[in-house]
Amino acid sequence: MVIINVYGKIPKTLISDKLKIYISNIPDDWKEEIIEDVLKEVRQQKFNILEDEKRYGKTHKSDYSLSYFQKIVKENIKGYTKNNIDSIENCIQCLVDNMIHLYFDYEYSDMPFFDWSSNCFDGRFCEEDYAEKVINFIHHDFPNEIHIDTVYSSNNDHLHQSIILFKLGFKINTGFNHLKTQSESIAKLVSTGKKIDNYINSESDYYKFDYILNSIYKDNDYNQNHFFKTYSLLELTLLEPYQRTSEVDNLLVPYLNKKYGNESTNVAKTLRQMRNKIGHGDFKGFNNKAEEFAQKYMKHYSFDYSEYSRLNWILLYTCCLLDDLLRNILFKQLTN
């Protein structure tokens, strides 16, 4: 079960025909579990407030009172006046009744390339819900078009603290009022689904899309492994099977031009050389190339060595650079 940060009563809506992804209100057999998770969060918040007051004499956390719940309902649920919200329990029920989840729904005959044994997008008991990987991909590659986040996921283990109310209260706690309406968000989701459908035109495309989704899922460790993997994804998205790795340099230049101008070709070459050093196990050589990159292209960068070592600052910078390149390239390919 993957619940997204869009709320309201909706009919079952197709997002991607190729993947058979839909959104709808959450089914009744899941509501009790979601309600219990929200109540756990209420109890945890009360405990945290008491702990803060005991340790520091005050707290900055909001008490999940009836008035707070009513604010959350009014802020997130259009047409909430049709519901009774005179108690915390009724407010929670109203919120859960209006929650929306993203899921796969198909018969195996609907899927053009897969069966029970080989469908990589199918949910298994010992595998994570693939719907969250799709949400993560949309969040990663369409950040300026659509802000779809996960409010709840059954992928989280039992030690994971529930943050449903935290996300529901985002607009109240931050004063941020620029999120799209329900209809705008759903329209953008449908538009994004069409882009995914246009991208997938063969069995190889399915496997490639699966690889990309899995590769960017839950990976925020900016180290040599992240650098190597992201650069490999750039090669995967840019190069044709007959092209040599070195040809990626010229293909990256248009995406580097805005930031590096005439130095773009050299930047692309240095990044590829750093990737090659990792691939050949020459980590001393990688460190030298990383320092060469920093000397040339991070002259005005502030290195705070109390936070990271110099090498890790360079990795943080270059991994973010590669992530941005990958995001822009995937967005362009999906859009075009």
Side-chain angles (χ1 to χ4, degrees), residues 249-265:
D249 292 3
N250 290 332
L251 297 172
L252 284 175
V253 167
Y255 298 95
L256 291 166
N257 261 330
K258 185 176 180 180
K259 187 170 186 177
Y260 295 101
N262 294 333
E263 288 293 319
S264 296
T265 300

Side-chain angles (χ1 to χ4, degrees), residues 44-45 47-49 52 56 58-64:
Q44 182 64 47
Q45 184 80 337
F47 174 80
N48 291 341
I49 289 172
D52 282 355
Y56 313 114
K58 61 180 180 179
T59 184
H60 297 290
K61 297 179 175 65
S62 300
D63 182 25
Y64 290 151

Side-chain angles (χ1 to χ4, degrees), residues 103-119:
Y103 60 101
F104 294 85
D105 186 19
Y106 54 84
E107 301 292 332
Y108 286 105
S109 58
D110 292 336
M111 300 295 285
F113 304 115
F114 301 115
D115 59 17
W116 166 252
S117 65
S118 60
N119 183 1

Side-chain angles (χ1 to χ4, degrees), residues 5 7 68 72 75-76 147 149 163-179:
N5 62 333
Y7 309 96
Y68 186 82
I72 288 180
E75 192 66 48
N76 291 285
H147 183 83
D149 199 5
I163 55 171
I164 297 172
L165 288 178
F166 175 81
K167 293 192 173 183
L168 279 164
F170 175 77
K171 288 190 283 187
I172 296 171
N173 297 329
T174 63
F176 185 82
N177 292 311
H178 302 293
L179 296 177

Side-chain angles (χ1 to χ4, degrees), residues 65-66 69-70 73 84-93:
S65 60
L66 173 59
F69 269 98
Q70 289 172 334
V73 171
N84 178 4
I85 55 171
D86 61 357
S87 69
I88 289 177
E89 290 75 14
N90 287 339
C91 287
I92 295 175
Q93 188 66 58

